[in-house]
């Protein structure tokens, strides 16, 4: 039979991930952090959510390890949180969130994809035009100002949402 973790075995891992999550949250002094720190925070958060929601939430990561530079704290976390709350958990059976961070020619590409409920075109237009003052607009403004980055939002109702950030490597201040 396949090996599964009992609650007794999983508890130490859960406590470790929870402590990582809380330590990051209580550090309010840093406005910018390294990308790899944010990724560790996101992984802890997603582990906690996975324990909480079980089979309704699946997580996938495709991350090139050697990519590291300063980013606004919580900028990617907020998008992940939105994907879970407004996309995946609104589906009866849940879904999958995917975090991809890769180098593609002269850009760093950060993708947050989910197969949640999606958005219609008017919602996307509101986000990109600044009518909706949410985390996607914040991300767009922060990364545009810091790195001259471009943000792409593709979403289809009942299919999911794909948010992609294209950051020119030449504009990154610290790698």
């Amino acid at each position: 039979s396949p090996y599964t973790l009992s609650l007794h075995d999983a508890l130490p891992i859960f406590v470790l991930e929870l402590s990582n999550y809380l330590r990051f949250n209580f550090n309010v002094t840093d406005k910018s952090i390294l990308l790899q720190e944010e990724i560790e925070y996101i992984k802890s958060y997603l582990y906690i959510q996975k324990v909480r929601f079980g089979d309704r939430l699946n997580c996938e990561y495709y991350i090139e390890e050697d990519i590291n530079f300063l980013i606004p704290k919580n900028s990617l976390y907020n998008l992940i949180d939105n994907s879970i709350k407004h996309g995946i958990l609104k589906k009866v059976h849940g879904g999958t969130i995917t975090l991809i961070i890769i180098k593609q020619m002269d850009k760093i590409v950060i993708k947050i994809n989910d197969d949640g409920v999606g958005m219609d075109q008017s919602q996307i237009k509101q986000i990109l035009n600044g009518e909706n003052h949410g985390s996607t607009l914040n991300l767009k403004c922060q990364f545009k100002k810091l790195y001259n980055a471009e943000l792409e939002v593709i979403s289809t109702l009942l299919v999911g949402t794909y948010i992609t950030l294209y950051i020119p490597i030449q504009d990154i201040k610290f790698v």
Side-chain angles (χ1 to χ4, degrees):
S1 70
Y3 176 75
T4 57
L5 280 177
S6 68
L7 180 59
H8 179 267
D9 294 331
L11 191 58
I13 298 169
F14 181 80
V15 170
L16 178 65
E17 296 297 349
L18 182 60
S19 68
N20 288 341
Y21 175 78
L22 292 174
R23 187 175 342 102
F24 188 89
N25 252 350
F26 287 136
N27 182 2
V28 295
T29 57
D30 294 338
K31 293 195 188 314
S32 295
I33 61 165
L34 291 170
L35 173 66
Q36 292 298 327
E37 290 178 272
E38 180 107 348
I39 290 168
E40 290 307 310
Y41 174 56
I42 287 168
K43 285 181 176 180
S44 292
Y45 171 73
L46 288 174
Y47 182 87
I48 293 164
Q49 296 305 320
K50 176 73 177 151
V51 169
R52 184 174 172 203
F53 295 109
D55 290 341
R56 290 190 64 215
L57 177 62
N58 298 299
C59 310
E60 296 179 356
Y61 307 98
Y62 303 96
I63 300 169
E64 288 184 20
E65 299 276 326
D66 63 337
I67 300 172
N68 207 14
F69 56 96
L70 289 172
I71 64 167
K73 184 177 180 181
N74 287 327
S75 55
L76 301 180
Y77 162 81
N78 289 335
L79 291 179
I80 297 277
D81 187 49
N82 274 353
S83 288
I84 293 170
K85 288 179 182 171
H86 302 296
I88 292 171
L89 294 180
K90 288 191 174 183
K91 285 176 64 176
V92 174
H93 299 293
T96 301
I97 188 160
T98 306
L99 175 60
I100 302 167
I101 302 174
I102 57 173
K103 284 182 188 164
Q104 218 172 49
M105 299 183 53
D106 61 344
K107 292 180 175 56
I108 301 293
V109 179
I110 300 174
K111 296 181 179 208
I112 297 171
N113 300 339
D114 72 66
D115 59 1
V117 296
M119 295 182 283
D120 63 32
Q121 295 309 305
S122 66
Q123 289 173 292
I124 296 171
K125 202 176 279 187
Q126 286 177 341
I127 288 169
L128 295 176
N129 291 339
E131 297 164 36
N132 177 339
H133 299 287
S135 52
T136 308
L137 177 65
N138 288 341
L139 179 90
K140 178 182 176 184
C141 294
Q142 290 171 327
F143 278 86
K144 182 73 173 173
K145 183 177 175 184
L146 273 176
Y147 298 123
N148 196 30
E150 294 298 323
L151 179 73
E152 177 181 72
V153 178
I154 299 172
S155 191
T156 305
L157 283 173
L158 306 176
V159 174
T161 301
Y162 310 92
I163 296 174
T164 307
L165 193 60
Y166 300 96
I167 306 168
I169 291 174
Q170 69 184 24
D171 292 327
I172 293 176
K173 296 173 179 70
F174 174 75
V175 178

